[in-house]
Amino acid sequence: MHTRYRIQFPPSDTQKLEQDEVSFFVIEDGEKRRLRFHDYDHIYRRPGLYEQVFYDRLKCSSPEKVSQILKQTLESHHVNFSELRVLDLGAGNGMMGECMKQYGVARLIGVDIIPEAREACFRDRPEIYDEYYVADFTNLAPEVEEEIDDWSVDCLTSVAALGFGDIPPSAFFRALRFLKTDGWVAFNIKETFLDNSDTSGFSRAVRELIFSEYLDIYHLEKYQHRLSMEGNPLYYFALIAQKTAKIPDDFLQRLEINA
């Protein structure tokens, strides 16, 4: 059993803050420490804190939702889910990997940029991934690139990791290039990322990709990702697509999107 933490949400209203700006307090040994929601290194060092904040208190449903939609989509198109070779980008402490594993996949490879994520995963869910790389996908070492390529990835997942600067567009598109043509993509994004009023690089890149010849969209669904700190529902889109062609290396440059 993980430690249960005394956590405290601040008295001020956080609705005007971006999700990566929101913070909470954890009280340890009588001392109050402020942690931002995206201070993943500090959160992962505390066994069970991530689950307590985001899943127990804020009711995050995304790993289960996205993996379930992916399975249903593939089954309806007569694709054997258990034969998938999955690259889980922004794997964190293995929440999405755990959902994929329960359905059964042939290979499951985790990737995250911070070592604390892998350490937390090996501590809490050591049986999930066949391999877990700590790597910066904007600047991959040649040996890591070769190793990942050897896994012959035919499914890419990324849940609660895209946007907000956690995974820049160039890292996501590098992961897509590992994916075999005819392979599957499953990810979620904040609802505003598909709105033309959002002019961020990631939002523009995703919109261009969705309507390009490189992806066929099989499922797009708006759902409640989790609650905000104020108890309001936060809506995301879950997207399942098939890669139909090789994505050009200069895709982002053509759109004048910074990496």
Side-chain angles (χ1 to χ4, degrees):
M1 289 289 292
H2 286 310
T3 301
R4 295 297 291 180
Y5 298 88
R6 185 181 170 204
I7 59 175
Q8 182 185 90
F9 286 175
S12 57
D13 194 316
T14 62
Q15 291 189 83
K16 293 183 179 180
L17 298 177
E18 291 291 341
Q19 290 180 42
D20 57 340
E21 297 174 328
V22 177
S23 62
F24 67 99
F25 296 101
V26 58
I27 295 119
E28 299 172 301
D29 300 322
E31 293 188 7
K32 184 187 290 189
R33 176 165 187 169
R34 182 191 295 271
L35 294 175
R36 291 186 310 118
F37 273 12
H38 286 214
D39 284 339
Y40 294 122
D41 51 349
H42 294 288
I43 292 173
Y44 286 147
R45 289 186 192 125
R46 295 164 169 83
L49 179 59
Y50 184 85
E51 291 87 339
Q52 185 177 338
V53 172
F54 293 102
Y55 290 83
D56 295 351
R57 183 149 183 186
L58 298 179
K59 308 304 179 188
C60 179
S61 65
S62 286
E64 185 62 43
K65 179 69 173 179
V66 176
S67 59
Q68 184 181 70
I69 292 173
L70 175 62
K71 187 172 190 295
Q72 291 170 350
T73 301
L74 267 57
E75 285 178 346
S76 68
H77 290 85
H78 310 292
V79 177
N80 194 341
F81 193 93
S82 64
E83 294 178 0
L84 291 179
R85 291 171 166 262
V86 182
L87 179 65
D88 186 18
L89 181 67
N93 64 348
M95 300 294 286
M96 180 60 177
E98 188 171 54
C99 290
M100 294 293 286
K101 194 82 168 184
Q102 73 178 358
Y103 292 130
V105 292
R107 302 289 188 279
L108 190 53
I109 305 99
V111 176
D112 209 291
I113 196 169
I114 61 171
E116 290 85 358
R118 180 171 66 177
E119 291 163 9
C121 183
F122 286 178
R123 178 194 65 215
D124 302 336
R125 298 172 180 84
E127 76 287 357
I128 296 298
Y129 296 103
D130 293 291
E131 185 57 273
Y132 194 125
Y133 296 97
V134 175
D136 180 355
F137 265 45
T138 67
N139 186 29
L140 273 179
E143 61 272 17
V144 175
E145 188 170 343
E146 185 177 345
E147 280 189 38
I148 295 175
D149 201 48
D150 286 344
W151 288 102
S152 301
V153 171
D154 59 10
C155 180
L156 173 67
T157 61
S158 191
V159 171
L162 300 177
F164 305 109
D166 295 329
I167 296 178
S170 59
F172 180 57
F173 277 77
R174 182 64 194 89
L176 278 170
R177 290 202 295 276
F178 280 119
L179 184 66
K180 295 166 58 177
T181 299
D182 296 330
W184 295 87
V185 189
F187 63 93
N188 70 339
I189 48 174
K190 188 180 176 184
E191 61 173 336
T192 58
F193 288 170
L194 294 186
D195 192 318
N196 286 329
S197 64
D198 189 331
T199 58
S200 67
F202 191 89
S203 175
R204 289 170 52 217
V206 167
R207 290 198 302 269
E208 290 289 339
L209 181 64
I210 286 174
F211 296 109
S212 74
E213 69 268 34
Y214 308 115
L215 283 188
D216 274 349
I217 308 301
Y218 280 76
H219 193 104
L220 182 65
E221 180 179 336
K222 185 177 177 179
Y223 71 99
Q224 182 177 307
H225 163 59
R226 64 168 174 83
L227 298 175
S228 73
M229 197 178 278
E230 311 308 323
N232 301 316
L234 296 178
Y235 292 103
Y236 274 42
F237 281 102
L239 185 147
I240 311 298
Q242 188 174 35
K243 182 178 175 181
T244 54
K246 184 179 184 292
I247 300 171
D249 292 344
D250 64 348
F251 183 87
L252 294 176
Q253 286 73 23
R254 293 181 193 178
L255 302 174
E256 298 181 345
I257 292 174
N258 294 326

